[in-house]
Amino acid sequence: METIRVKSAPRIEGEMSVPGDKSISHRAVLLSSLANGTCRISHFLPGEDCLATIGAMRSLGVEIERPEPTTAVVHGVGGKLRAPESTIDCGNSGTTMRLLCGILAARDFECILCGDESLTARPMRRVIDPLAKMGARIVGNGEKGFPPLHVAGGPLAGIDYSLPMASAQVKSAVLLAGLSAKGRTSVTEPAVTRDHTERMLRYFQVPVRKEGMTISVYGGAKLEARDFAVPGDISSAAFWLVAAAAQPASQLLIHHVGLNPTRSGILGVLVRMGARVRECIDSAGDAEPSGTIDIKGGELHA
């Protein structure tokens, strides 16, 4: 049996970047697939979950090239997806399955979404119910709607939906279905969730209205293709941020990391503990704010 010994470094010092954000990589592929032209996605996260999303969109007739592991060139079909030749495998990705339900709910064909053993044990009722209110026909197993899911697309009507519990994935599925529904679709959140879908819809020129905790879209909106750079995943950066903050004399710069306020709560926690943290936003005008985090280590308090 191999033994690994770890010795504490005197300090953590240097500059680094982290892999692309998983949540944003998913959405970049999905929305660019629905756009009316070619979109080059850079700093894409080539993990199994995000690759499942690429595989799903390919099976729906979207041409996606991978010139490099972290680059995806998506040739959008303007919403004109085609029926898959076989079951769509979502792997272990709940994000892929839930958001696809919203996209497929209005299509004029039927398909089946499946996944691995773990995904098959995850209930999908939270996303099935609001889509059913819009007119979608989605059937899972048992009362909780376990996968595989049979999705039979058809005409949808916009709804006003109040989420019973905060969920960015359910919110996103309803909003994506709303793009193909008649009239306005509104989702009201009980608490703030990550807002990547709303930001990216605006980036692709879809009007999104936000009033308080309610987000609305209108059916018939067209997505305009634009190149997109996925910011670094602040969840991946968190381990390095904590390590540097906890060691006196450390200084760490993390470049091109996502600074979305709905995701960067760890920075506020570290500041409360006495860490010296500085953010520098480089790209506030894009879909997602990103930039550099400069953190200096010191004595922290509870």
Side-chain angles (χ1 to χ4, degrees), residues 57-68:
M57 299 316 293
R58 281 174 171 165
S59 72
L60 292 165
V62 181
E63 182 185 350
I64 302 176
E65 303 170 61
R66 298 279 310 289
E68 300 172 354

Side-chain angles (χ1 to χ4, degrees), residues 201-221:
L201 284 172
R202 292 190 186 99
Y203 182 77
F204 284 102
Q205 306 299 301
V206 173
V208 178
R209 186 173 182 179
K210 181 170 173 54
E211 295 179 294
M213 301 295 288
T214 300
I215 305 100
S216 303
V217 297
Y218 289 84

Side-chain angles (χ1 to χ4, degrees), residues 18 32 41 44 52 80 90 137 150 168 201 237 243 249 264-265 267 271 280 287 290 293:
V18 291
S32 59
I41 303 170
F44 171 80
K80 297 177 181 177
C90 299
R137 293 171 293 161
H150 182 263
L201 284 172
S264 58
L267 300 180
V271 168
C280 180
S290 65
I293 300 174

Side-chain angles (χ1 to χ4, degrees), residues 3 40 62 76 89 91 95 110 122 153 162 168 171 185 190 216 221 226 298:
T3 298
R40 186 181 185 88
V62 181
D89 186 1
T95 301
E110 299 183 13
R122 283 184 248 173
S162 294
K171 173 183 66 174
T185 295
S216 303
R226 301 175 66 186

Side-chain angles (χ1 to χ4, degrees), residues 27-277:
R27 288 160 172 81
V29 170
L30 292 170
L31 294 185
S32 59
S33 294
L34 299 176
N36 60 1
T38 299
C39 173
R40 186 181 185 88
I41 303 170
S42 57
H43 204 51
F44 171 80
L45 178 68
E48 288 188 9
D49 282 8
C50 296
L51 294 179
T53 294
I54 284 183
M57 299 316 293
R58 281 174 171 165
S59 72
L60 292 165
V62 181
E63 182 185 350
I64 302 176
E65 303 170 61
R66 298 279 310 289
E68 300 172 354
T70 58
T71 301
V73 180
V74 182
H75 300 276
V77 295
K80 297 177 181 177
L81 302 173
R82 73 178 184 211
E85 296 179 356
S86 60
T87 299
I88 298 176
D89 186 1
C90 299
N92 186 239
S93 177
T95 301
T96 303
M97 182 170 285
R98 292 188 179 101
L99 271 59
L100 265 183
C101 283
I103 289 173
L104 295 172
R107 309 301 152 185
D108 59 354
F109 54 77
E110 299 183 13
C111 59
I112 295 175
L113 304 179
C114 70
D116 65 11
E117 184 177 355
S118 173
L119 184 56
T120 304
R122 283 184 248 173
M124 295 291 159
R125 180 60 59 190
R126 284 189 298 161
V127 71
I128 292 173
D129 286 346
L131 294 176
K133 293 178 184 292
M134 301 177 75
R137 293 171 293 161
I138 304 175
V139 179
N141 293 321
E143 292 184 1
K144 295 185 178 180
F146 293 107
L149 303 180
H150 182 263
V151 183
L156 302 182
I159 59 170
D160 294 327
Y161 186 68
S162 294
L163 290 171
M165 62 178 65
S167 169
Q169 291 182 5
V170 176
K171 173 183 66 174
S172 297
V174 175
L175 293 176
L176 290 173
L179 297 179
S180 302
K182 183 178 180 180
R184 185 189 70 182
T185 295
S186 297
V187 179
T188 301
E189 301 184 284
V192 174
T193 63
R194 56 185 65 182
D195 62 355
H196 304 309
T197 299
E198 302 96 292
R199 287 177 178 270
M200 198 166 295
L201 284 172
R202 292 190 186 99
Y203 182 77
F204 284 102
Q205 306 299 301
V206 173
V208 178
R209 186 173 182 179
K210 181 170 173 54
E211 295 179 294
M213 301 295 288
T214 300
I215 305 100
S216 303
V217 297
Y218 289 84
K222 304 298 182 183
L223 286 79
E224 301 294 334
R226 301 175 66 186
D227 291 347
F228 183 79
V230 178
D233 188 352
I234 194 167
S235 297
S236 299
F239 302 97
W240 301 99
L241 293 170
V242 170
Q247 281 195 286
S250 294
Q251 181 169 9
L252 182 66
L253 288 173
I254 304 183
H255 297 290
H256 187 57
V257 65
L259 294 173
N260 185 313
T262 65
R263 292 285 300 282
S264 58
I266 187 170
L267 300 180
V269 173
L270 289 173
V271 168
R272 288 175 57 199
M273 299 181 75
R276 292 172 290 172
V277 182

